[in-house]
Amino acid sequence: MLRFTDEHIAFQEVPGEVSLAYTIAGCPLGCKGCHSSYSWHSGQGTALTSSYLQQRLQTYQDLISCVLFLGGEWQPQTLLPLLIMVRRAGLNSCLYTGLDDVNPALKQQLTYLKTGRWLAERGGLNSPDTNQVFTDLRTGQCLNPLFIQ
Ligand code: SF4
């Protein structure tokens, strides 16, 4: 089961989308300088069950265009049905992962994917030197330039 520590509406993490965002507890990567190290322990937070997400999608109907999962790829069999639910609701989806790639079945359901762990010396998506890549999986296009002002 996946659990989340934060649920909020995000305007900047996915360009052009209003996203219902979940910080998933239990990221195993342990990047030095992680901004959400408080979320590393997997047993904390609220269970992100299918019924919970369904209820939230109904609550935010017509207010959001995307659901953003900040982690969760380490449980692909749990994340996959949630992505399918999001797509069936007519919404886009995005996964932020610290890995360089994820399970192909996840990518098949996702609209956007951010890959690459946090390296302080390279910076995040708003840095021209970043190791991270934000991809529109529908086209394969790298959208990194949209994050640089
Ligand atoms: S991948 Fe993200 S959440 Fe996980 S440790 Fe690295 S910076 Fe933190």
Side-chain angles (χ1 to χ4, degrees), residues 27-31 34-37 39-40 97-98 117-118:
C27 179
L29 294 183
C31 301
C34 170
H35 296 294
S36 49
S37 55
S39 69
W40 285 358
T97 176
R117 65 166 52 227
W118 168 253

Side-chain angles (χ1 to χ4, degrees), residues 1-2 47-54 82 85:
M1 175 183 295
L2 290 172
L48 188 55
T49 61
S50 295
S51 58
Y52 178 86
L53 183 60
Q54 185 77 60
L82 301 180
M85 177 188 298

Side-chain angles (χ1 to χ4, degrees), residues 37 42 46 58 79 100 110 122 125-126 136 139:
S37 55
S42 59
T46 304
Q58 283 172 3
L79 182 57
D100 291 329
L110 283 161
R122 302 283 299 273
L125 289 168
N126 60 354
D136 185 333
T139 61

Side-chain angles (χ1 to χ4, degrees), residues 69-86:
F69 297 88
L70 299 159
E73 71 280 359
W74 50 85
Q75 282 190 37
Q77 299 309 323
T78 309
L79 182 57
L80 187 61
L82 301 180
L83 296 178
I84 292 171
M85 177 188 298
V86 170

